[in-house]
Structure formats: C-alpha cells, structure tokens
Amino acid sequence: MPPVMAAASADQNPESNEAVAHRLKRTREAMKLNQATWCRLVGIDAPQWNNYETGGRRITIDAALKVCKATGVGLNWIYRGMASDLPVNLATAIQTLERAARKRS
C-alpha cells in the first residue's frame, strides 16, 4: 500500500502536534462522522476532542487508546503517521481525502 500523507505539508514533521491533529481530523472525516458522533463513538468529550483535532492540545495516550479501540487505527498512525497502522478501508478513504485536498489547493 502506498504511504498516506500524514499532514497537509509533506515537509512537516510527522510527529508534530499539527501533523497529529491533521491525522485525527482526517481519520474522523474518512469515517464520515461529525465531531459529535465521533465523540460518542470514541468516548471523548467534544471540547477535549476539538482541542486534539485543531492542535490546541496533543492527544493523551489514554484518549488515543480510546480512538484505537473504537476505530482499529494504531498508535503508530496517530503519533507517527505510519499508514501501515491503519485498517485498509480507512487508509483508502484517507488517501482519497488527501488527494481531494491537494486538488483544491
């Protein structure tokens, strides 16, 4: 499987808060869920999730484990951008979203 872009900028550090936030948002979008539905699915309060997704705060390990349990993504995807830690259907959906975003910019 080809690598999934982990962040809006290919030059960006994949472990930066911005890159982690971007992957969290893309993962939610790939599952076609709004924030409220996502938060119910993963068991994280909406204001807290919004901070993670916008890069205001780095996602905690406990919250990341909730995301992993609810979605099947792995910690290496969340924190390091390793696409091999994604379920195939999510990797494909995220690639599609990234391509569409690149076309718009």
Side-chain angles (χ1 to χ4, degrees):
M1 172 182 303
V4 174
M5 290 291 295
S9 168
D11 298 331
Q12 188 175 31
N13 174 359
E15 296 174 9
S16 71
N17 282 351
E18 294 81 12
V20 170
H22 181 79
R23 285 191 295 276
L24 293 173
K25 183 175 182 179
R26 279 291 190 251
T27 302
R28 177 183 59 78
E29 291 172 340
M31 293 184 69
K32 299 182 178 173
L33 298 174
N34 62 33
Q35 278 193 359
T37 304
W38 173 268
C39 289
R40 283 192 298 276
L41 172 71
V42 298
I44 298 173
D45 292 335
Q48 185 178 17
W49 178 260
N50 190 56
N51 276 329
Y52 299 152
E53 194 174 287
T54 60
R57 242 181 103 190
R58 189 172 189 86
I59 191 169
T60 65
I61 189 69
D62 290 335
L65 287 170
K66 287 180 179 184
V67 172
C68 294
K69 184 176 180 181
T71 66
V73 305
L75 291 174
N76 276 324
W77 166 249
I78 293 172
Y79 288 111
R80 300 176 66 206
M82 297 175 70
S84 60
D85 225 12
L86 279 171
V88 174
N89 62 324
L90 276 180
T92 302
I94 290 169
Q95 282 180 328
T96 300
L97 288 170
E98 290 295 337
R99 274 192 229 111
R102 283 193 301 274
K103 285 181 183 179
R104 285 192 303 269
S105 57

